[in-house]
Amino acid sequence: MIRELDLSEISDGKRYGHKDMVKAGCNDCKGCSKCCQGMGHSIVLDPYDVYLLCKNLKQSFEKLLSYAVELQVAEGIILPNLKMTGTEEACSFLNEQGRCSIHGFRPGFCRMFPLGRIYEDNDFQYFLQTKECPQEPKTKVKIQKWLGIGDIRKYETFVKDWHYFLKQMQERLEGAQDEALSKQFSVQLLQLFYLISYETEQDFYTQFYFRLEEMKKRF
């Protein structure tokens, strides 16, 4: 999600790359699950998130929509996000012990926490949110290790390309002020990047960029 932020108020004022060390280690949370509760619609899922969920849970996107994922409008485009449930508004994947049941293939926003991303000049950097995680003391950890992504360069290129594609389309749709066109775009976006399943035995990124080029041709 795009937010206007004053980094001096919420971070240590620094920006980081995946090779940098950052004080984010929380000693395996020690039973704390604060970041898995009360998050509203903020845990927006990108295509790679959904690919991993469907692959590892062996479920379709439609099945996920029946209990763990919901659709909301984010910056004018309909996108999926993790669903919060119950009186504590907890993530649907949080088990009775307060632990993440999908930790090995959790979404990108969950992997980053308490880090965030700041996008500038067709790229992005990480920043550390210093007021979000209550666990102390924190230990230093390399961001690449913290994220736990195999091919970090491919992943970060995907994150960047997806973000700026959505941003470009949001600007175009806002400029057009055509409600029918906006709805058509959201429907086709959901269909092409989420509802049509990915071949789990094939490289995700190859499939994603093929679909991205197809979407660009349509709009």
Side-chain angles (χ1 to χ4, degrees), residues 141-181:
V141 61
K142 191 174 184 178
I143 288 179
Q144 182 174 353
K145 181 179 180 180
W146 183 253
L147 295 175
I149 298 289
D151 194 329
I152 189 66
R153 295 189 183 278
K154 275 190 175 181
Y155 174 72
E156 289 185 335
T157 297
F158 153 74
V159 167
K160 177 182 66 176
D161 290 343
W162 179 244
H163 170 85
Y164 284 106
F165 166 69
L166 291 180
K167 182 179 180 181
Q168 181 184 42
M169 290 307 305
Q170 287 160 357
E171 291 173 351
R172 285 182 57 187
L173 294 172
E174 287 176 2
Q177 295 185 338
D178 186 331
E179 186 175 339
L181 180 64

Side-chain angles (χ1 to χ4, degrees), residues 20-189:
D20 291 326
M21 301 288 289
V22 63
K23 208 168 185 181
C26 57
N27 196 20
D28 199 29
C29 298
K30 287 187 176 179
C32 174
S33 58
K34 182 179 179 181
C35 63
C36 303
Q37 301 177 32
M39 299 304 292
H41 310 305
S42 66
I43 312 300
V44 179
L45 304 175
D46 63 35
Y48 186 61
D49 295 331
V50 171
Y51 164 80
L52 288 181
L53 287 171
C54 292
K55 177 182 179 179
N56 288 280
L57 294 173
K58 295 180 172 54
Q59 296 176 0
S60 67
F61 181 64
E62 293 94 327
K63 177 63 177 178
L64 293 175
L65 284 171
S66 71
Y67 74 100
V69 173
E70 60 187 359
L71 300 178
Q72 295 290 335
V73 178
E75 284 84 48
I77 295 175
I78 299 174
L79 291 170
N81 62 263
L82 287 186
K83 184 178 181 179
M84 303 290 135
T85 61
T87 56
E88 296 183 345
E89 295 188 2
C91 172
S92 300
F93 291 114
L94 199 65
N95 64 26
E96 293 180 356
Q97 289 73 44
R99 307 298 285 174
C100 176
S101 64
I102 58 167
H103 191 264
F105 48 95
R106 63 201 183 280
F109 279 8
C110 304
R111 289 178 181 276
M112 281 196 303
F113 187 85
L115 299 172
R117 302 188 193 111
I118 181 167
Y119 293 87
E120 290 179 332
D121 302 322
N122 204 39
D123 206 343
F124 75 87
Q125 292 178 295
Y126 301 98
F127 66 91
L128 175 64
Q129 301 179 84
T130 55
K131 300 178 181 179
E132 294 296 322
C133 177
Q135 287 290 88
E136 295 292 347
K138 298 285 197 307
T139 57
K140 282 193 173 182
V141 61
K142 191 174 184 178
I143 288 179
Q144 182 174 353
K145 181 179 180 180
W146 183 253
L147 295 175
I149 298 289
D151 194 329
I152 189 66
R153 295 189 183 278
K154 275 190 175 181
Y155 174 72
E156 289 185 335
T157 297
F158 153 74
V159 167
K160 177 182 66 176
D161 290 343
W162 179 244
H163 170 85
Y164 284 106
F165 166 69
L166 291 180
K167 182 179 180 181
Q168 181 184 42
M169 290 307 305
Q170 287 160 357
E171 291 173 351
R172 285 182 57 187
L173 294 172
E174 287 176 2
Q177 295 185 338
D178 186 331
E179 186 175 339
L181 180 64
S182 296
K183 182 178 180 180
Q184 181 186 10
F185 175 79
S186 285
V187 169
Q188 293 198 32
L189 186 84

